[in-house]
Amino acid sequence: MAPIYDCSLEADLLTGMRLARTAIGRGELVVIPTDTVYGVAADAFSPQAVQRLLDAKGRGRQSPPPVLIPGLPTLDALAASVPDVVRDLVAEFWPGGLTIVLPAQPSLSWDLGETRGTVALRMPADKLALELLAETGPLAVSSANLTGQPAAIDAAGAEAMLGDAVEVYLQGTVPAEVDPDAVIGLSSTIVDATAFAAGEGPLRILRHGTISAERIRAVVGDALERDDDQGAAGDDTDNDQGTGDQDTDGEDAVREDPVTS
């Protein structure tokens, strides 16, 4: 059985983080806390590791995982185009529970699944997640659960579902220490900005989550699709996120259109 490290204890924190970094480097899976739900993480640039993540969850390549990033500079490195309204959104809500789907840099040497040229990105507001990301770089992260099951809200719940498919489990501390607005157990809100980036349509909410449509509209105004124009939003967590596991935060984003990921 894979070990669970309680990162509220200094000894477990040091050991768990060291083993987590090593596991990611070997292409193994690690369960980490985020400010929304627990996520199962893999090296985003290792196709084998990403496939291992999908297999562990019982998901197909049509459900690509979102990517967690350590900071704003990585946004421009991974996205081909970042409209000003998206920069306004991330300035307001990152780090935090907002996942943005954008056109991916065509030069990226990765394989997240059937993304149709898009990538779902989020900077989490969790100290442990950010520390790990700072050392590993971008991680493909989906909710730590089996497809069709509720997303785990702690490491023990994730271990009960994923077992030995994961090399290391990190039990985090209270997310409110980083983000007082964090809502445990509720996935990030996913906004598809691919049509907007191409000049072909408004921003669209694919999954409703921790950040309300009203708060998003307060930042971007009419750039956000009106509620009565939207179809059913995808479920990004595995609850089932349409974009695949853009659940990262499990978050699976809902990539139902060519531009959605």
Side-chain angles (χ1 to χ4, degrees):
M1 179 178 295
I4 295 177
Y5 294 91
D6 182 353
C7 293
S8 65
L9 305 175
E10 185 174 358
D12 271 18
L13 171 61
L14 295 175
T15 302
M17 290 292 281
R18 174 174 56 81
L19 293 177
R21 292 192 298 270
T22 300
I24 292 294
R26 292 200 311 262
E28 303 290 345
L29 305 182
V30 174
V31 160
I32 62 173
T34 79
D35 45 319
T36 55
V37 298
Y38 272 62
V40 55
D43 180 356
F45 290 94
S46 169
Q48 295 80 10
V50 172
Q51 188 59 54
R52 184 173 288 121
L53 184 157
L54 296 175
D55 291 344
K57 288 173 58 69
R59 296 182 72 88
R61 285 175 53 81
Q62 74 280 3
S63 297
V67 175
L68 295 191
I69 60 177
L72 293 177
T74 314
L75 174 65
D76 290 302
L78 301 183
S81 175
V82 184
D84 288 343
V85 293
V86 171
R87 295 189 189 278
D88 292 340
L89 282 175
V90 300
E92 179 70 20
F93 299 117
W94 279 11
L98 179 69
T99 298
I100 301 286
V101 183
L102 288 161
Q105 287 281 6
S107 61
L108 289 173
S109 57
W110 63 10
D111 182 4
L112 298 174
E114 297 176 10
T115 64
R116 297 166 184 164
T118 68
V119 62
L121 300 170
R122 184 168 91 86
M123 180 184 177
D126 180 273
K127 183 178 180 180
L128 284 177
L130 288 172
E131 287 182 358
L132 186 61
L133 286 163
E135 299 205 31
T136 64
L139 294 174
V141 182
S142 177
S143 52
N145 59 308
L146 294 175
T147 297
Q149 298 298 313
I153 59 172
D154 58 26
E159 195 278 334
M161 288 184 277
L162 300 176
D164 290 337
V166 171
E167 187 74 9
V168 177
Y169 290 85
L170 300 180
Q171 173 62 46
T173 54
V174 181
E177 293 179 4
V178 177
D179 181 5
D181 294 326
V183 181
I184 304 302
L186 186 60
S187 298
S188 68
T189 297
I190 300 176
V191 173
D192 177 12
T194 52
F196 190 90
E200 298 173 352
L203 301 175
R204 178 170 172 242
I205 294 178
L206 297 181
R207 183 184 64 194
H208 292 273
T210 62
I211 297 173
S212 69
E214 291 74 18
R215 293 178 67 191
I216 292 172
R217 195 177 302 282
V219 175
V220 303
D222 291 339
L224 180 66
E225 187 175 51
R226 303 301 307 182
D227 292 343
D228 53 3
D229 293 331
Q230 296 187 116
D235 187 336
D236 156 347
T237 316
D238 262 347
N239 288 303
D240 241 51
Q241 282 100 272
T243 234
D245 240 81
Q246 279 216 194
D247 152 65
T248 167
D249 296 87
E251 322 220 277
D252 298 9
V254 180
R255 303 177 177 177
E256 45 196 23
D257 307 318
V259 293
T260 324
S261 177

